[in-house]
Amino acid sequence: MKKDCITTFSKIEFNTIDPEEEQIKIEDIAHALSLMTRANGHFPQFFSVGQHCIQCCREAIARNYMPQTALACLLHDGSEAYLADITRPVKKNMTMYLQIEEQLQNRIYKKFLGYVPKGEEAELVSNIDDACLYFEFYHFMNQKLMKTEPVMMSSPSYKFRPMAEIETEFLQLFTKLSKEIQLQER
């Protein structure tokens, strides 16, 4: 194995510090996120980062956002497939990690969206991410992370789902939204 590399599900030696765009595979992202647990494993049952991303995407669809924004929601934690999911209280103090994560996440967005969400679109993605986080903690831990309950237009499910099912749904949503974006661009 090369220095600064991990071996991905698809057997790619992936340089996490300076990845090549062609090495970023949606299959690796979907697989890894389906196996990663939210809340650092502290929820009373397994709930994956992949399930969280799917819920964020479904919320964007329920809000009638553009397919690009829904896809950005699906991909918003994509860098965690190559780095890790680190809890927010710790992550905010890890300056170098945050830089590496942002660089990798931006490459993921550029590869699959063609651009990095900015301004209002980035805010929409962040708001959905926060809303889903709120309801996950409320459901699993009976804890309200914010004083005001955020809006939720979709009906989230928190039941345990097999990892392969999450991986498949992630890939299906990716394909569906990518096709919608292509049709829109014609």
Side-chain angles (χ1 to χ4, degrees), residues 64-128:
N64 293 313
Y65 290 169
M66 298 288 289
Q68 294 87 337
T69 306
L71 185 56
C73 285
L74 183 67
L75 298 171
H76 81 279
D77 282 337
S79 62
E80 293 177 9
Y82 302 103
L83 301 175
D85 184 16
I86 298 175
T87 59
R88 286 184 181 196
V90 175
K91 188 188 288 190
K92 70 180 182 183
N93 295 298
M94 300 175 70
T95 307
M96 182 60 87
Y97 177 89
L98 290 169
Q99 291 172 355
I100 294 166
E101 180 186 49
E102 180 180 18
Q103 177 182 325
L104 180 53
Q105 187 60 47
N106 287 348
R107 287 191 182 183
I108 290 167
Y109 281 140
K110 284 179 186 171
K111 175 165 184 168
F112 298 119
L113 277 175
Y115 66 95
V116 176
K118 302 260 188 230
E120 183 181 343
E121 185 177 25
E123 191 174 321
L124 294 174
V125 173
S126 179
N127 288 344
I128 286 176

Side-chain angles (χ1 to χ4, degrees), residues 38 52 55-60 63 65 69 72-73 76-77 88 109 117-136 145-146 148-154:
R38 291 282 286 165
H52 165 76
Q55 179 52 45
C56 289
C57 178
R58 294 213 173 279
E59 179 63 18
R63 293 180 185 192
Y65 290 169
T69 306
C73 285
H76 81 279
D77 282 337
R88 286 184 181 196
Y109 281 140
K118 302 260 188 230
E120 183 181 343
E121 185 177 25
E123 191 174 321
L124 294 174
V125 173
S126 179
N127 288 344
I128 286 176
D129 184 28
D130 288 346
C132 289
L133 175 74
Y134 175 93
F135 286 104
E136 289 163 12
L145 298 180
M146 301 168 215
T148 305
E149 183 176 288
V151 172
M152 184 66 78
M153 302 295 291
S154 61

Side-chain angles (χ1 to χ4, degrees), residues 153-168:
M153 302 295 291
S154 61
S155 300
S157 171
Y158 303 106
K159 70 175 186 160
F160 172 78
R161 294 175 59 203
M163 290 68 139
E165 188 179 299
I166 296 300
E167 183 177 349
T168 298

